[in-house]
Amino acid sequence: MTEQTYYTLKDGNKIPVIGFGTWQAENGDIAKQAVKSALESGYRHIDTAMIYGNETSVGEAIKESGIPRDELFVTTKLWNHDHSYDKAKQAINESLERLGLDYLDLYLIHWPNPIDYRDNWKEANAGSWKAMEEAVDEGKIKSIGVSNFLIHHLKALEETAVIQPVINQIYLNPSDQQHEIVDYCRNNGIILEAYSPLGTGDIFKLKELERIADTHNKTVAQVVLRWSLQKGFLPLPKSVTPSRIKENIELFDFELSEFDMGLIDALQGKAGSARNPDEVTF
Ligand SMILES: NC(=O)c1ccc[n+]([C@@H]2O[C@H](COP(=O)([O-])OP(=O)(O)OC[C@H]3O[C@@H](n4cnc5c(N)ncnc54)[C@H](OP(=O)(O)O)[C@@H]3O)[C@@H](O)[C@H]2O)c1
């Protein structure tokens, strides 16, 4: 495995096994430089979202990198106030425009049950999904998926979907391994993208990881990201610091033993957990 290795999605498209996260990378110079630095370090997969407010800078960095479009994988997401058919159609066009792209590699429903749609989230998701399927037919999106979906959200979506979701992007790191939804996705051929693979920084509180990192002459971040890859997840580390951006993709010259993996698995619950998507207040 290298940073150029791909997973094959169940729609046949390919996705690089590691992506670059951009949440809290502020629009403007910070996000643009971070994405440029990521592309220079070898990332070819960038994860943004309408709500991150940085699609414009992400798009500029992509354009200025000069990397051919077909060598890149770009994801963005439908925000919570844009659910349902008409709004989703418009949101897709607006994201494309801000990014300056002709097509998206992946478009995700960001949350399954936003506060504004709590009484009719199933219908809202079904409507959004129809708009996303049409965008696939029109060539505006290659692959479609979801984020923060639990089993009941996926089952509801599957009732009306013509194209089944190929990705579920969830909070996933040693402190919250989300076994139920992970097993469901694996059994249904849905690739799991691991967001907050470093617990938005909280994973560094865990001293146990330092010992494992030392034995491999690697950093804690590298050990945790390697754990994610060896689990078959697709980690999306975020950083705006060039040295860390580079460090976070140098994962392909070492391997964690089964014993190391077991030690890391035992960190469940020790540094934060996923939010309940049915109770979020946004
Ligand atoms: N779908 C969703 O609902 C959702 C939710 C959250 C996140 N995501 C996606 O997942 C991505 C990653 O998650 P995240 O942003 O929560 O955070 P994360 O990648 O788990 O952690 C990022 C934090 O760790 C620091 N960091 C990164 N690499 C480091 C290293 N090698 N050593 C020490 N510190 C390091 C970063 O600092 P600096 O930046 O200051 O270097 C930042 O504070 C997001 O950017 C986004 O693309 C999706």
Side-chain angles (χ1 to χ4, degrees):
M1 189 167 38
T2 71
E3 68 274 15
Q4 307 299 347
T5 306
Y6 292 88
Y7 292 125
T8 300
L9 300 170
K10 66 176 176 179
D11 61 11
N13 293 327
K14 292 186 180 339
I15 184 168
V17 293
I18 182 163
F20 181 68
T22 64
W23 177 41
Q24 294 178 312
E26 198 185 320
N27 197 45
D29 246 18
I30 294 181
K32 191 167 159 182
Q33 291 310 325
V35 174
K36 277 187 154 180
S37 173
L39 295 171
E40 278 161 20
S41 300
Y43 297 80
R44 289 294 178 269
H45 169 184
I46 311 294
D47 183 81
T48 183
M50 182 274 169
I51 195 65
Y52 303 168
N54 58 18
E55 289 173 312
T56 309
S57 302
V58 169
E60 285 170 8
I62 288 171
K63 197 168 181 195
E64 288 175 23
S65 77
I67 299 170
R69 177 69 184 91
D70 62 358
E71 290 176 21
L72 295 173
F73 192 101
V74 183
T75 302
T76 192
K77 315 186 190 87
L78 180 77
W79 186 241
N80 291 359
H81 49 54
D82 287 331
H83 281 220
S84 74
Y85 178 77
D86 289 329
K87 288 191 189 172
K89 265 192 120 59
Q90 192 179 335
I92 292 165
N93 290 334
E94 288 172 357
S95 279
L96 280 168
E97 200 163 307
R98 279 188 296 269
L99 282 159
L101 296 175
D102 298 332
Y103 69 91
L104 300 166
D105 294 278
L106 178 65
Y107 194 68
L108 305 176
I109 297 183
H110 206 148
W111 287 89
N113 189 357
I115 189 95
D116 290 350
Y117 296 90
R118 195 130 297 164
D119 296 336
N120 62 339
W121 61 267
K122 285 186 196 180
E123 294 74 19
N125 285 340
S128 302
W129 196 256
K130 186 162 180 274
M132 290 161 67
E133 290 175 329
E134 284 183 12
V136 172
D137 291 340
E138 291 161 6
K140 293 179 180 175
I141 305 176
K142 301 268 187 207
S143 294
I144 51 179
V146 297
S147 177
N148 297 297
F149 272 48
L150 298 176
I151 296 173
H152 59 285
H153 304 122
L154 280 169
K155 284 196 163 151
L157 186 66
E158 284 158 12
E159 284 173 23
T160 54
V162 177
I163 304 174
Q164 296 302 323
V166 297
I167 290 274
N168 191 10
Q169 180 181 125
I170 60 172
Y171 181 96
L172 199 50
N173 63 49
S175 183
D176 195 348
Q177 298 168 42
Q178 302 228 49
H179 294 295
E180 261 184 62
I181 183 65
V182 164
D183 288 348
Y184 182 84
C185 288
R186 284 191 169 137
N187 291 335
N188 288 278
I190 299 171
I191 299 276
L192 288 145
E193 290 190 334
Y195 83 64
S196 303
L198 307 172
T200 321
D202 285 347
I203 214 76
F204 299 105
K205 293 178 193 158
L206 299 173
K207 296 295 162 215
E208 296 88 331
L209 291 167
E210 288 174 15
R211 280 191 291 277
I212 302 171
D214 286 346
T215 62
H216 290 277
N217 222 359
K218 285 283 176 183
T219 66
V220 165
Q222 289 169 329
V223 162
V224 171
L225 295 169
R226 180 75 205 185
W227 171 89
S228 188
L229 286 171
Q230 285 186 216
K231 287 276 173 189
F233 305 148
L234 193 163
L236 300 169
K238 171 267 177 185
S239 176
V240 293
T241 314
S243 58
R244 291 174 173 174
I245 292 171
K246 190 163 175 290
E247 172 187 330
N248 292 348
I249 200 172
E250 289 172 348
L251 309 174
F252 303 97
D253 57 355
F254 77 113
E255 196 166 346
L256 297 169
S257 65
E258 254 180 63
F259 183 72
D260 293 331
M261 292 294 284
L263 290 176
I264 302 173
D265 288 350
L267 299 173
Q268 172 73 30
K270 298 220 165 153
S273 57
R275 295 183 206 232
N276 182 338
D278 291 320
E279 290 174 5
V280 294
T281 52
F282 48 82

